């Protein structure tokens, strides 16, 4: 029986690499994978899923208004769907993936962030937590050695605490931190501004 999987982690936890490795594993078994990603993610090119370690594959782009069920009908002999950066899919699109699992017995593996730079769930991630059959955290570590859970947004060397939920960037814009280090750094930087 097919399942809807959500594999989530902080920035730098190798989510995209794991998505591409999973795609390779399915294809090595002779299965056809439909690799998709939301159009919001344009960091590495519009139709590209790319990991920090250099793995790269072409992907179909899902626009915010797109109906994934209708796009699925245009595909030929798909055995599995892998979605990268799924936090940027709409809740309706997550429901469409859920439909494909339930009604077409199609395994769907979603890889993405759980929360934004202020520790708020992304709408796509929230819906996945509500409807996924399997939730798996892909772990990474903070500089202190503890598990990183926060995607700290950095600008001019400082932690950002205001702004739009979506701001695309890589290692230059985000640092994975544990919650304790994130709060300490925000406090320290606020004190430095006040005293400076």
């Amino acid at each position: 029986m097919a399942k809807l999987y959500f594999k989530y982690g902080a920035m730098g936890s190798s989510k995209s690499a794991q998505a591409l490795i999973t795609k390779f594993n399915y294809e090595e078994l002779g299965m056809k994978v439909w690799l998709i990603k939301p159009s919001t993610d344009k960091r590495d090119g519009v139709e590209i899923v790319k990991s920090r370690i250099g793995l790269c594959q072409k992907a179909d782009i899902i626009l915010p208004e797109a109906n994934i069920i209708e796009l699925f009908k245009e595909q030929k002999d798909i055995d599995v769907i892998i979605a990268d950066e799924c936090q940027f899919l709409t809740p309706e699109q997550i429901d469409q993936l859920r439909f494909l699992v339930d009604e077409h017995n199609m395994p769907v593996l979603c890889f993405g962030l759980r929360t934004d730079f202020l520790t708020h769930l992304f709408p796509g991630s929230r819906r996945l937590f509500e409807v996924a059959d399997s939730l798996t955290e892909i772990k990474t570590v903070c500089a202190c050695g503890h598990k990183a859970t926060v995607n700290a947004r950095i600008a001019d060397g400082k932690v950002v605490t205001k702004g739009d939920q979506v701001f695309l960037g890589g290692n230059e814009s985000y640092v994975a931190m544990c919650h304790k280090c994130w709060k300490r750094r925000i406090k320290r930087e606020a004190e430095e501004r006040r005293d400076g």
Side-chain angles (χ1 to χ4, degrees), residues 18-45:
Q18 290 198 28
L20 295 175
I21 290 167
T22 301
K23 178 180 185 289
F24 173 83
N25 289 339
Y26 274 105
E27 290 174 341
E28 194 173 41
L29 296 171
M31 297 180 182
K32 187 169 179 192
V33 177
W34 186 30
L35 181 63
I36 60 174
K37 77 171 204 173
S39 62
T40 308
D41 179 32
K42 298 175 182 163
R43 275 179 310 173
D44 298 309

mmCIF file of all heavy atoms in Angstrom, residues 18-45:
data_model
loop_
_atom_site.group_PDB
_atom_site.id
_atom_site.type_symbol
_atom_site.label_atom_id
_atom_site.label_comp_id
_atom_site.label_asym_id
_atom_site.label_seq_id
_atom_site.Cartn_x
_atom_site.Cartn_y
_atom_site.Cartn_z
ATOM 1 N N GLN A 18 19.327 13.654 -0.311
ATOM 2 C CA GLN A 18 18.591 12.423 -0.032
ATOM 3 C C GLN A 18 17.465 12.202 -1.032
ATOM 4 O O GLN A 18 17.182 11.069 -1.427
ATOM 5 C CB GLN A 18 18.088 12.412 1.401
ATOM 6 C CG GLN A 18 19.236 12.253 2.377
ATOM 7 C CD GLN A 18 18.789 11.810 3.754
ATOM 8 O OE1 GLN A 18 17.789 11.142 3.924
ATOM 9 N NE2 GLN A 18 19.572 12.181 4.746
ATOM 10 N N ALA A 19 16.827 13.289 -1.466
ATOM 11 C CA ALA A 19 15.786 13.165 -2.497
ATOM 12 C C ALA A 19 16.388 12.599 -3.778
ATOM 13 O O ALA A 19 15.819 11.689 -4.401
ATOM 14 C CB ALA A 19 15.134 14.521 -2.760
ATOM 15 N N LEU A 20 17.553 13.109 -4.168
ATOM 16 C CA LEU A 20 18.193 12.651 -5.412
ATOM 17 C C LEU A 20 18.752 11.239 -5.287
ATOM 18 O O LEU A 20 18.699 10.457 -6.239
ATOM 19 C CB LEU A 20 19.273 13.645 -5.830
ATOM 20 C CG LEU A 20 18.749 15.036 -6.212
ATOM 21 C CD1 LEU A 20 19.899 15.990 -6.484
ATOM 22 C CD2 LEU A 20 17.800 14.961 -7.394
ATOM 23 N N ILE A 21 19.261 10.898 -4.126
ATOM 24 C CA ILE A 21 19.733 9.525 -3.902
ATOM 25 C C ILE A 21 18.556 8.554 -3.952
ATOM 26 O O ILE A 21 18.645 7.473 -4.536
ATOM 27 C CB ILE A 21 20.489 9.423 -2.561
ATOM 28 C CG1 ILE A 21 21.824 10.169 -2.669
ATOM 29 C CG2 ILE A 21 20.700 7.973 -2.148
ATOM 30 C CD1 ILE A 21 22.507 10.417 -1.334
ATOM 31 N N THR A 22 17.434 8.950 -3.356
ATOM 32 C CA THR A 22 16.228 8.119 -3.385
ATOM 33 C C THR A 22 15.757 7.923 -4.821
ATOM 34 O O THR A 22 15.400 6.811 -5.224
ATOM 35 C CB THR A 22 15.113 8.760 -2.530
ATOM 36 O OG1 THR A 22 15.592 8.907 -1.191
ATOM 37 C CG2 THR A 22 13.855 7.908 -2.535
ATOM 38 N N LYS A 23 15.796 8.993 -5.613
ATOM 39 C CA LYS A 23 15.429 8.897 -7.033
ATOM 40 C C LYS A 23 16.335 7.894 -7.741
ATOM 41 O O LYS A 23 15.857 7.013 -8.474
ATOM 42 C CB LYS A 23 15.530 10.269 -7.694
ATOM 43 C CG LYS A 23 15.209 10.278 -9.190
ATOM 44 C CD LYS A 23 15.342 11.687 -9.757
ATOM 45 C CE LYS A 23 14.915 11.765 -11.198
ATOM 46 N NZ LYS A 23 15.810 11.119 -12.150
ATOM 47 N N PHE A 24 17.626 8.005 -7.506
ATOM 48 C CA PHE A 24 18.585 7.086 -8.118
ATOM 49 C C PHE A 24 18.276 5.634 -7.733
ATOM 50 O O PHE A 24 18.294 4.735 -8.575
ATOM 51 C CB PHE A 24 20.014 7.456 -7.693
ATOM 52 C CG PHE A 24 21.043 6.472 -8.146
ATOM 53 C CD1 PHE A 24 21.572 6.535 -9.426
ATOM 54 C CD2 PHE A 24 21.480 5.458 -7.300
ATOM 55 C CE1 PHE A 24 22.526 5.616 -9.849
ATOM 56 C CE2 PHE A 24 22.431 4.533 -7.717
ATOM 57 C CZ PHE A 24 22.945 4.613 -8.996
ATOM 58 N N ASN A 25 17.994 5.409 -6.460
ATOM 59 C CA ASN A 25 17.708 4.047 -5.982
ATOM 60 C C ASN A 25 16.487 3.447 -6.667
ATOM 61 O O ASN A 25 16.493 2.276 -7.051
ATOM 62 C CB ASN A 25 17.544 4.034 -4.470
ATOM 63 C CG ASN A 25 18.855 4.264 -3.740
ATOM 64 O OD1 ASN A 25 19.931 4.065 -4.298
ATOM 65 N ND2 ASN A 25 18.764 4.703 -2.501
ATOM 66 N N TYR A 26 15.436 4.231 -6.819
ATOM 67 C CA TYR A 26 14.243 3.745 -7.529
ATOM 68 C C TYR A 26 14.572 3.440 -8.984
ATOM 69 O O TYR A 26 14.174 2.405 -9.531
ATOM 70 C CB TYR A 26 13.104 4.772 -7.461
ATOM 71 C CG TYR A 26 12.253 4.665 -6.224
ATOM 72 C CD1 TYR A 26 12.364 5.588 -5.189
ATOM 73 C CD2 TYR A 26 11.305 3.649 -6.086
ATOM 74 C CE1 TYR A 26 11.576 5.502 -4.054
ATOM 75 C CE2 TYR A 26 10.505 3.556 -4.962
ATOM 76 C CZ TYR A 26 10.652 4.485 -3.946
ATOM 77 O OH TYR A 26 9.863 4.388 -2.825
ATOM 78 N N GLU A 27 15.297 4.351 -9.629
ATOM 79 C CA GLU A 27 15.609 4.172 -11.050
ATOM 80 C C GLU A 27 16.542 2.979 -11.268
ATOM 81 O O GLU A 27 16.437 2.292 -12.279
ATOM 82 C CB GLU A 27 16.214 5.460 -11.610
ATOM 83 C CG GLU A 27 15.178 6.563 -11.699
ATOM 84 C CD GLU A 27 15.734 7.906 -12.104
ATOM 85 O OE1 GLU A 27 16.971 8.122 -11.990
ATOM 86 O OE2 GLU A 27 14.941 8.764 -12.521
ATOM 87 N N GLU A 28 17.410 2.722 -10.313
ATOM 88 C CA GLU A 28 18.300 1.577 -10.417
ATOM 89 C C GLU A 28 17.506 0.265 -10.417
ATOM 90 O O GLU A 28 17.936 -0.735 -10.980
ATOM 91 C CB GLU A 28 19.300 1.595 -9.255
ATOM 92 C CG GLU A 28 20.465 0.660 -9.443
ATOM 93 C CD GLU A 28 21.505 0.827 -8.358
ATOM 94 O OE1 GLU A 28 21.133 0.986 -7.177
ATOM 95 O OE2 GLU A 28 22.696 0.805 -8.700
ATOM 96 N N LEU A 29 16.327 0.306 -9.814
ATOM 97 C CA LEU A 29 15.436 -0.859 -9.792
ATOM 98 C C LEU A 29 14.499 -0.897 -10.998
ATOM 99 O O LEU A 29 13.593 -1.726 -11.067
ATOM 100 C CB LEU A 29 14.616 -0.874 -8.497
ATOM 101 C CG LEU A 29 15.435 -1.046 -7.205
ATOM 102 C CD1 LEU A 29 14.549 -0.824 -5.987
ATOM 103 C CD2 LEU A 29 16.087 -2.424 -7.176
ATOM 104 N N GLY A 30 14.705 0.031 -11.934
ATOM 105 C CA GLY A 30 13.901 0.063 -13.148
ATOM 106 C C GLY A 30 12.588 0.809 -13.012
ATOM 107 O O GLY A 30 11.722 0.704 -13.887
ATOM 108 N N MET A 31 12.439 1.566 -11.946
ATOM 109 C CA MET A 31 11.193 2.307 -11.730
ATOM 110 C C MET A 31 11.319 3.726 -12.269
ATOM 111 O O MET A 31 12.400 4.304 -12.283
ATOM 112 C CB MET A 31 10.837 2.330 -10.250
ATOM 113 C CG MET A 31 10.576 0.962 -9.679
ATOM 114 S SD MET A 31 10.168 1.106 -7.930
ATOM 115 C CE MET A 31 9.975 -0.623 -7.518
ATOM 116 N N LYS A 32 10.168 4.277 -12.672
ATOM 117 C CA LYS A 32 10.152 5.636 -13.213
ATOM 118 C C LYS A 32 9.715 6.618 -12.126
ATOM 119 O O LYS A 32 8.667 6.443 -11.500
ATOM 120 C CB LYS A 32 9.218 5.729 -14.417
ATOM 121 C CG LYS A 32 9.301 7.068 -15.117
ATOM 122 C CD LYS A 32 8.585 7.087 -16.440
ATOM 123 C CE LYS A 32 8.689 8.459 -17.075
ATOM 124 N NZ LYS A 32 7.801 8.611 -18.199
ATOM 125 N N VAL A 33 10.548 7.635 -11.909
ATOM 126 C CA VAL A 33 10.320 8.636 -10.869
ATOM 127 C C VAL A 33 9.897 9.948 -11.517
ATOM 128 O O VAL A 33 10.509 10.397 -12.489
ATOM 129 C CB VAL A 33 11.608 8.857 -10.044
ATOM 130 C CG1 VAL A 33 11.400 9.956 -9.008
ATOM 131 C CG2 VAL A 33 12.048 7.560 -9.382
ATOM 132 N N TRP A 34 8.859 10.559 -10.963
ATOM 133 C CA TRP A 34 8.472 11.915 -11.353
ATOM 134 C C TRP A 34 9.025 12.845 -10.281
ATOM 135 O O TRP A 34 8.522 12.882 -9.155
ATOM 136 C CB TRP A 34 6.960 12.026 -11.477
ATOM 137 C CG TRP A 34 6.480 13.350 -12.001
ATOM 138 C CD1 TRP A 34 7.129 14.178 -12.866
ATOM 139 C CD2 TRP A 34 5.237 13.984 -11.696
ATOM 140 N NE1 TRP A 34 6.367 15.295 -13.131
ATOM 141 C CE2 TRP A 34 5.202 15.199 -12.421
ATOM 142 C CE3 TRP A 34 4.156 13.644 -10.901
ATOM 143 C CZ2 TRP A 34 4.121 16.075 -12.355
ATOM 144 C CZ3 TRP A 34 3.073 14.515 -10.830
ATOM 145 C CH2 TRP A 34 3.059 15.713 -11.565
ATOM 146 N N LEU A 35 10.100 13.568 -10.611
ATOM 147 C CA LEU A 35 10.737 14.505 -9.699
ATOM 148 C C LEU A 35 10.126 15.881 -9.918
ATOM 149 O O LEU A 35 10.158 16.413 -11.039
ATOM 150 C CB LEU A 35 12.249 14.539 -9.942
ATOM 151 C CG LEU A 35 13.079 15.460 -9.048
ATOM 152 C CD1 LEU A 35 12.993 15.031 -7.585
ATOM 153 C CD2 LEU A 35 14.538 15.486 -9.517
ATOM 154 N N ILE A 36 9.581 16.463 -8.840
ATOM 155 C CA ILE A 36 8.929 17.772 -8.946
ATOM 156 C C ILE A 36 9.469 18.706 -7.866
ATOM 157 O O ILE A 36 10.014 18.266 -6.856
ATOM 158 C CB ILE A 36 7.387 17.665 -8.819
ATOM 159 C CG1 ILE A 36 6.981 17.071 -7.466
ATOM 160 C CG2 ILE A 36 6.816 16.842 -9.967
ATOM 161 C CD1 ILE A 36 5.471 17.067 -7.211
ATOM 162 N N LYS A 37 9.316 19.997 -8.130
ATOM 163 C CA LYS A 37 9.639 21.005 -7.122
ATOM 164 C C LYS A 37 8.803 22.254 -7.398
ATOM 165 O O LYS A 37 8.443 22.523 -8.546
ATOM 166 C CB LYS A 37 11.126 21.324 -7.099
ATOM 167 C CG LYS A 37 11.607 22.218 -8.221
ATOM 168 C CD LYS A 37 13.042 22.661 -7.992
ATOM 169 C CE LYS A 37 13.331 23.945 -8.726
ATOM 170 N NZ LYS A 37 14.627 24.513 -8.422
ATOM 171 N N PRO A 38 8.471 23.013 -6.358
ATOM 172 C CA PRO A 38 7.689 24.237 -6.544
ATOM 173 C C PRO A 38 8.471 25.296 -7.314
ATOM 174 O O PRO A 38 9.700 25.389 -7.183
ATOM 175 C CB PRO A 38 7.411 24.709 -5.112
ATOM 176 C CG PRO A 38 7.808 23.598 -4.216
ATOM 177 C CD PRO A 38 8.769 22.742 -4.974
ATOM 178 N N SER A 39 7.770 26.103 -8.069
ATOM 179 C CA SER A 39 8.415 27.163 -8.849
ATOM 180 C C SER A 39 9.047 28.219 -7.951
ATOM 181 O O SER A 39 9.926 28.956 -8.393
ATOM 182 C CB SER A 39 7.397 27.814 -9.783
ATOM 183 O OG SER A 39 6.352 28.419 -9.030
ATOM 184 N N THR A 40 8.642 28.303 -6.700
ATOM 185 C CA THR A 40 9.200 29.271 -5.755
ATOM 186 C C THR A 40 10.701 29.108 -5.618
ATOM 187 O O THR A 40 11.435 30.072 -5.467
ATOM 188 C CB THR A 40 8.547 29.090 -4.360
ATOM 189 O OG1 THR A 40 7.138 29.122 -4.527
ATOM 190 C CG2 THR A 40 8.973 30.156 -3.389
ATOM 191 N N ASP A 41 11.187 27.869 -5.659
ATOM 192 C CA ASP A 41 12.611 27.591 -5.461
ATOM 193 C C ASP A 41 13.369 27.775 -6.766
ATOM 194 O O ASP A 41 13.350 26.908 -7.631
ATOM 195 C CB ASP A 41 12.816 26.165 -4.922
ATOM 196 C CG ASP A 41 14.277 25.848 -4.732
ATOM 197 O OD1 ASP A 41 15.056 26.776 -4.413
ATOM 198 O OD2 ASP A 41 14.662 24.684 -4.908
ATOM 199 N N LYS A 42 14.059 28.911 -6.885
ATOM 200 C CA LYS A 42 14.813 29.227 -8.107
ATOM 201 C C LYS A 42 16.304 29.386 -7.828
ATOM 202 O O LYS A 42 17.046 29.869 -8.673
ATOM 203 C CB LYS A 42 14.280 30.523 -8.715
ATOM 204 C CG LYS A 42 12.831 30.433 -9.124
ATOM 205 C CD LYS A 42 12.304 31.762 -9.604
ATOM 206 C CE LYS A 42 10.844 31.611 -9.952
ATOM 207 N NZ LYS A 42 10.152 32.876 -10.044
ATOM 208 N N ARG A 43 16.742 28.970 -6.635
ATOM 209 C CA ARG A 43 18.146 29.190 -6.255
ATOM 210 C C ARG A 43 19.128 28.608 -7.247
ATOM 211 O O ARG A 43 20.122 29.232 -7.587
ATOM 212 C CB ARG A 43 18.430 28.553 -4.889
ATOM 213 C CG ARG A 43 18.100 29.390 -3.725
ATOM 214 C CD ARG A 43 18.399 28.638 -2.475
ATOM 215 N NE ARG A 43 17.781 27.316 -2.579
ATOM 216 C CZ ARG A 43 17.947 26.343 -1.721
ATOM 217 N NH1 ARG A 43 18.716 26.518 -0.694
ATOM 218 N NH2 ARG A 43 17.348 25.187 -1.874
ATOM 219 N N ASP A 44 18.886 27.381 -7.686
ATOM 220 C CA ASP A 44 19.868 26.684 -8.523
ATOM 221 C C ASP A 44 19.401 26.548 -9.971
ATOM 222 O O ASP A 44 19.924 25.728 -10.712
ATOM 223 C CB ASP A 44 20.144 25.294 -7.933
ATOM 224 C CG ASP A 44 20.745 25.400 -6.548
ATOM 225 O OD1 ASP A 44 21.727 26.145 -6.389
ATOM 226 O OD2 ASP A 44 20.221 24.749 -5.621
ATOM 227 N N GLY A 45 18.424 27.339 -10.366
ATOM 228 C CA GLY A 45 17.845 27.225 -11.693
ATOM 229 C C GLY A 45 16.402 26.779 -11.579
ATOM 230 O O GLY A 45 16.015 26.136 -10.608
#
